Amino acid sequence: DTGVSQDPRHKITKRGQNVTFRCDPISEHNRLYWYRQTLGQGPEFLTYFQNEAQLEKSRLLSDRFSAERPKGSFSTLEIQRTEQGDSAMYLCASNPGNTEAFFGQGTRLTVV
Amino acid sequence: KNEVEQSPQNLTAQEGEFITINCSYSVGISALHWLQQHPGGGIVSLFMLSSGKKKHGRLIATINIQEKHSSLHITASHPRDSAVYICAVKKGGSEKLVFGKGTKLTVNP
């Protein structure tokens, strides 16, 4: 257990539905990252927060994706109007600065 | 071409063997990470390095900045080392990590 929690661990949803995932980083970590990993591939960067500010966002993140970190603590990632191509593992990571990253266990999304 | 390439993609070894996994990258970086991912998804950070060599137990990581190459070595491998090992780089001027596709290691008893 790295101390980074993600909820839920698994989510099955029908195409077109909206889903929201939560990440609770280690409490003193001001940096939080979201990544997406499809089967057989390495993770891909989605977005980065420093405290509550979203400072980097990947071009992979379409308009259907939005992430927030309202109080600089937990973060949510919402996917609207899910598509089958959104099926993946969504990983959250945090760190207190320019150090190693601590990853959560991930949320596995299956869109049927 | 991917910015981070790992080799080999798959590696099978017998318990006790010395293992090397390679990572080459094509961009300027501020740091390189080696990560371990077990089935089920959880990723654990093994090393973060920007120069030279680091050692932790049976694991050794080296980086050659001029050649844009890093290696992860496992001495006296054990079946519990079986996992996917991922190389990731932090590009200069960015906070994001760019990942390789991973090397799946299987150590047989």
Side-chain angles (χ1 to χ4, degrees):
Chain A
D1 181 6
T2 64
V4 178
S5 301
Q6 290 189 245
D7 184 68
R9 292 289 309 279
H10 303 274
K11 178 73 177 177
I12 300 174
T13 191
K14 290 184 179 178
R15 191 174 52 189
Q17 297 292 305
N18 299 344
V19 293
T20 299
F21 309 141
R22 178 178 169 124
C23 172
D24 286 90
I26 295 171
S27 59
E28 62 268 25
H29 288 185
N30 62 344
R31 300 181 181 195
L32 186 146
Y33 310 80
W34 284 100
Y35 295 93
R36 178 174 68 186
Q37 185 178 26
T38 52
L39 206 59
Q41 302 295 313
E44 296 173 294
F45 171 80
L46 292 178
T47 192
Y48 155 65
F49 289 87
Q50 186 162 328
N51 299 311
E52 64 276 8
Q54 187 175 22
L55 298 183
E56 273 190 79
K57 193 173 169 180
S58 168
R59 280 171 283 184
L60 291 174
L61 223 60
S62 74
D63 291 344
R64 297 184 297 106
F65 287 71
S66 63
E68 292 183 340
R69 194 182 182 198
K71 296 181 181 177
S73 56
F74 73 92
S75 176
T76 57
L77 177 68
E78 182 183 16
I79 309 174
Q80 296 182 326
R81 304 181 303 283
T82 52
E83 301 172 357
Q84 285 192 314
D86 298 330
S87 296
M89 175 76 83
Y90 290 84
L91 293 160
C92 174
S94 70
N95 65 18
N98 194 22
T99 68
E100 63 180 316
F102 294 80
F103 285 81
Q105 290 289 311
T107 294
R108 183 169 294 282
L109 173 67
T110 303
V111 182
V112 297
Chain B
K1 189 176 187 295
N2 293 335
E3 292 174 316
V4 181
E5 297 278 358
Q6 286 186 236
S7 63
Q9 276 189 289
N10 293 282
L11 182 55
T12 300
Q14 287 300 121
E15 184 173 356
E17 285 185 0
F18 180 84
I19 286 160
T20 296
I21 299 170
N22 296 299
C23 175
S24 296
Y25 53 92
S26 58
V27 293
I29 69 169
S30 57
L32 182 143
H33 295 247
W34 280 103
L35 309 160
Q36 181 191 57
Q37 186 170 32
H38 281 284
I43 292 178
V44 174
S45 178
L46 299 175
F47 296 102
M48 185 183 91
L49 59 165
S50 53
S51 65
K53 178 178 174 178
K54 286 191 176 180
K55 184 175 189 293
H56 181 69
R58 294 180 296 105
L59 302 179
I60 303 165
T62 63
I63 188 168
N64 184 318
I65 296 292
Q66 286 73 31
E67 294 187 5
K68 295 188 174 177
H69 181 269
S70 175
S71 293
L72 176 69
H73 306 285
I74 305 175
T75 61
S77 59
H78 190 276
R80 65 174 175 267
D81 297 326
S82 298
V84 175
Y85 292 83
I86 303 173
C87 171
V89 301
K90 190 171 174 184
K91 291 169 72 169
S94 172
E95 281 299 317
K96 71 178 186 183
L97 290 177
V98 178
F99 294 78
K101 290 186 178 182
T103 295
K104 184 177 180 182
L105 172 65
T106 304
V107 182
N108 294 318

